Amino acid sequence: MAAELHVELVAADRSVWSGEATLVVARTTSGDIGVMPGHQPLLGVLESGPVTIRTSDGRTVVAAVHGGFISFADDKLSLLAEIAELADEIDVQRAERALERAKSDTDAASERRAEVRLRAVAVR
């Protein structure tokens, strides 16, 4: 059996995903980071962007994450996000409409959230 790490992806309002994984890739303020079993302990600030989780059974789970923190120690990874949603939950047409609306309103934060949602769906 391959080495695993336990992953908890939690948003402010719910637990988004929990399980065993072999690799997690997330965007931090220091850049993209990949975490595998045995990684050095870390604590970082999450940037908005897709988080990719390679599960122990070979599946790929992708989530759109908007801010928060990442913590890793003893093969336990916690992603504590302000907002997070699985790519499978994202309504693409709604995200596209939100992006157009944000562009016309020159709302940079809303535009960034819509772009991250669409990127997460594309990665999936």
Side-chain angles (χ1 to χ4, degrees), residues 92-113:
V92 175
Q93 287 80 22
R94 183 173 175 225
E96 288 171 342
R97 287 191 306 271
L99 178 59
E100 290 306 313
R101 192 170 44 255
K103 284 181 178 179
S104 68
D105 294 343
T106 61
D107 182 349
S110 294
E111 185 175 342
R112 176 79 176 138
R113 283 192 301 273

Side-chain angles (χ1 to χ4, degrees), residues 18-102:
S18 177
E20 306 305 310
T22 58
L23 171 68
V24 176
V25 178
R27 175 154 295 160
T28 70
T29 54
S30 300
D32 288 351
I33 186 167
V35 179
M36 298 174 69
H39 195 283
Q40 292 290 87
L42 74 92
L43 178 62
V45 177
L46 289 171
E47 289 281 326
S48 292
V51 169
T52 303
I53 303 167
R54 296 280 157 75
T55 67
S56 297
D57 62 6
R59 294 180 304 116
T60 300
V61 175
V62 179
V65 172
H66 309 281
F69 298 93
I70 182 171
S71 171
F72 181 77
D74 301 322
D75 286 333
K76 293 182 179 90
L77 179 71
S78 297
L79 299 151
L80 308 170
E82 295 172 24
I83 301 170
E85 54 194 323
L86 295 174
D88 294 340
E89 300 171 342
I90 296 171
D91 179 333
V92 175
Q93 287 80 22
R94 183 173 175 225
E96 288 171 342
R97 287 191 306 271
L99 178 59
E100 290 306 313
R101 192 170 44 255

